[in-house]
C-alpha cells in the first residue's frame, strides 16, 4: 500500500453503505497488529483486507491513503491525554498532565517507535500524524497554559510558555530512546517539578 490514493471507481453500492463502528474498529485493530508485529512499511491494504475479510475497495473508500489509514487507527486506540485537565491551578494542571502522559506512555511507545523513521521519510504520514495525534494534544496543553494566564498565574508574554508542549511531549518520546525506560509517573512528576515549573517561574 502506498501513500497515493487508490483509483477505485465509485459505484452505487459504495455510495450506499457506511461502516459500522464495530467494523471500523476491526480494520483499525488489524492495522495496529501489523504495525506492532512488522512495522509501518509492512502494513498493506492487502494484508488488512485479508485479515478482516473485506475488499481493498472498501478500505480505500474510507481512507484514501496509507498514512490516513494508519493515523486513524492510532487515534482510535487512545484519547487525547491532556484533554479535560482543570485542577484550578497551573502547577496542578501540569502535574496532572504528567500523570496522564505516564498512564499511556508504555502503550504508545512500540507503535510510535515503529512509525518514527517512516514519519521522517513520508511527509504525508508525518502530516497525518500531526493532524490526528500530535496537534490535539499540543492544543490541550496550550489550553492549560491559557487558563494559567487568564488566572493571572503567569504573564501572557512569558518566554517559556511556547516550549511547554515540546517539553511534555518530547520527554515522553525521548526517554525510552535515551535511557531504555518509559517515562513513568515518578519520572514525569520530577521532570515537571525540576524543569517545567521553574522555567515558568512557578514555585
Amino acid at each position: 500500500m502506498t501513500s497515493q490514493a487508490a483509483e477505485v471507481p465509485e459505484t452505487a453500492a459504495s455510495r450506499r453503505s457506511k461502516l459500522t463502528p464495530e467494523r471500523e474498529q476491526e480494520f483499525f485493530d488489524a492495522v495496529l497488529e501489523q504495525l506492532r508485529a512488522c512495522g509501518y512499511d509492512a502494513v498493506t491494504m492487502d494484508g488488512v483486507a485479508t485479515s478482516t475479510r473485506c475488499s481493498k475497495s472498501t478500505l480505500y473508500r474510507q481512507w484514501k491513503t496509507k498514512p490516513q489509514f494508519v493515523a486513524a487507527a492510532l487515534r482510535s486506540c487512545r484519547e487525547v491525554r491532556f484533554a479535560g485537565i482543570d485542577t484550578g491551578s497551573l502547577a496542578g494542571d501540569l502535574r496532572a498532565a504528567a500523570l496522564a502522559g505516564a498512564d499511556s506512555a508504555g502503550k504508545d511507545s512500540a507503535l510510535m517507535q515503529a512509525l518514527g523513521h517512516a514519519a521522517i521519510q513520508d511527509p504525508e504520514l508525518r502530516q497525518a500524524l500531526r493532524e490526528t495525534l500530535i496537534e490535539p494534544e499540543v492544543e490541550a496543553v496550550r489550553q492549560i497554559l491559557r487558563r494559567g494566564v487568564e488566572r493571572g498565574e503567569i504573564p501572557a508574554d512569558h518566554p517559556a510558555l511556547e516550549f511547554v508542549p515540546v517539553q511534555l511531549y518530547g520527554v515522553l518520546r525521548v526517554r525510552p530512546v535515551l535511557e531504555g525506560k518509559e517515562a513513568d509517573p515518578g519520572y514525569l512528576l520530577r521532570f515537571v517539578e525540576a524543569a517545567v515549573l521553574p522555567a515558568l517561574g512557578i514555585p
Side-chain angles (χ1 to χ4, degrees), residues 1 27-28 31 45 48 59 63 65-73:
M1 180 168 61
F27 297 144
F28 291 154
V31 171
M45 282 294 195
V48 175
L59 301 178
W63 305 281
T65 67
K66 175 177 175 176
Q68 290 177 9
F69 195 11
V70 170

Side-chain angles (χ1 to χ4, degrees), residues 3 19 27 42 79 97 117 123 158 164-165 172 174 199:
S3 295
L19 298 176
F27 297 144
E79 298 177 352
H117 179 70
H158 194 293
V164 175
L172 289 166
V174 170

Side-chain angles (χ1 to χ4, degrees), residues 1 6 46 51 72 91 138 156 163 187-188 190:
M1 180 168 61
D46 282 329
S51 64
V138 169
F163 301 111
Y187 180 88
L188 283 174
R190 293 196 308 275

